């Protein structure tokens, strides 16, 4: 049997103001998040399946003061589409290997290459593997204001998963380094 999954996003939830209008955020929470984005704070969005992580990330991305920011988005499938609202945004998409096992481009490879593109911020649609180490390195080495999502049911689980993913990276960094 053939199965098809269609992910349909609300087109009316593109900004923090849209989330306030929908009752998803209070005006105070939206103002706080906007201040965090403008201040260049790194942001990790976590939540369960279908909880709105990507919608939240898209709204936060739209809050980036675009005229002086070079933003690189990295995703498996292009859902953020921030290049339509930010003047200097480059969208990179991962690619699965072909039948022969060739031509695949991983999220980790894209994060590493994004660092060479002189970004102000890097936005990863979802961290779910060894790219966590490179994302953390980017966040701690001059790419303040970077953002990503991670599937987790709470803040402690999110940080634990992020640490585990970083430890999965090739070269196995010492666990004390990723504390």
């Amino acid at each position: 049997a053939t199965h098809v999954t269609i992910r349909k996003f609300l087109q009316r939830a593109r900004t923090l103001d849209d989330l306030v209008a929908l009752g998803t955020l209070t005006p105070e929470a939206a103002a706080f998040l906007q201040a965090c984005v403008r201040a260049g704070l790194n942001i990790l969005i976590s939540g369960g399946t279908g909880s709105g992580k990507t919608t939240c990330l898209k709204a936060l991305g739209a809050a980036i003061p675009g005229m002086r920011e070079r933003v690189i988005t990295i995703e498996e499938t292009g859902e953020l589409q921030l290049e339509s609202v930010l003047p200097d945004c480059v969208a990179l998409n991962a690619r699965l290997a072909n039948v022969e096992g060739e031509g695949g481009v991983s999220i980790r490879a894209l994060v590493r290459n994004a660092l060479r593109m002189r970004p102000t911020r890097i936005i990863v649609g979802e961290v779910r593997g060894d790219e966590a180490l490179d994302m953390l390195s980017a966040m701690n080495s001059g790419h303040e204001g970077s953002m990503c999502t991670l599937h987790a049911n709470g803040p402690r689980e999110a940080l634990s998963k992020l640490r585990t993913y970083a430890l999965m990276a090739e070269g196995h960094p010492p666990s004390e380094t990723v504390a």
Side-chain angles (χ1 to χ4, degrees), residues 5-176:
T5 300
I6 299 172
R7 289 184 53 136
K8 189 173 179 181
F9 296 96
L10 295 174
Q11 291 303 313
R12 63 182 190 262
R14 288 184 238 163
T15 66
L16 292 171
D17 288 339
D18 293 341
L19 294 178
V20 170
L22 289 168
T24 304
L25 286 177
T26 64
E28 296 81 12
F32 173 76
L33 290 171
Q34 184 160 7
C36 290
V37 170
R38 291 201 171 160
L41 300 180
N42 296 320
I43 299 174
L44 170 65
I45 300 165
S46 68
T49 303
S51 61
K53 297 180 297 291
T54 302
T55 300
C56 183
L57 184 61
K58 186 174 191 168
L60 291 173
I64 294 171
M67 291 309 195
R68 54 183 208 274
E69 304 271 351
R70 178 166 172 78
V71 178
I72 310 290
T73 63
I74 300 168
E75 302 177 88
E76 282 191 0
T77 56
E79 297 171 334
L80 295 174
Q81 300 170 347
L82 292 176
E83 58 276 9
S84 64
V85 294
L86 296 172
D88 194 4
C89 181
V90 178
L92 303 176
N93 291 311
R95 183 175 59 214
L96 295 174
N98 63 17
V99 178
E100 292 84 27
E102 309 243 342
V105 180
S106 70
I107 296 287
R108 185 172 193 199
L110 292 175
V111 172
R112 286 180 161 182
N113 282 303
L115 294 171
R116 297 183 187 104
M117 298 172 74
R118 297 183 303 110
T120 308
R121 302 173 193 244
I122 297 173
I123 299 176
V124 177
E126 184 173 355
V127 171
R128 61 171 71 142
D130 59 357
E131 68 273 1
L133 181 63
D134 300 298
M135 189 68 199
L136 288 170
S137 292
M139 288 177 162
N140 288 308
S141 64
H143 300 91
E144 289 88 9
S146 293
M147 300 179 231
C148 61
T149 70
L150 186 132
H151 184 93
N153 292 318
R156 287 187 194 273
E157 182 183 337
L159 293 174
S160 176
K161 282 180 104 172
L162 191 61
R163 182 177 190 270
T164 299
Y165 291 153
L167 291 171
M168 290 169 45
E170 187 178 319
H172 307 287
S175 58
E176 310 84 53

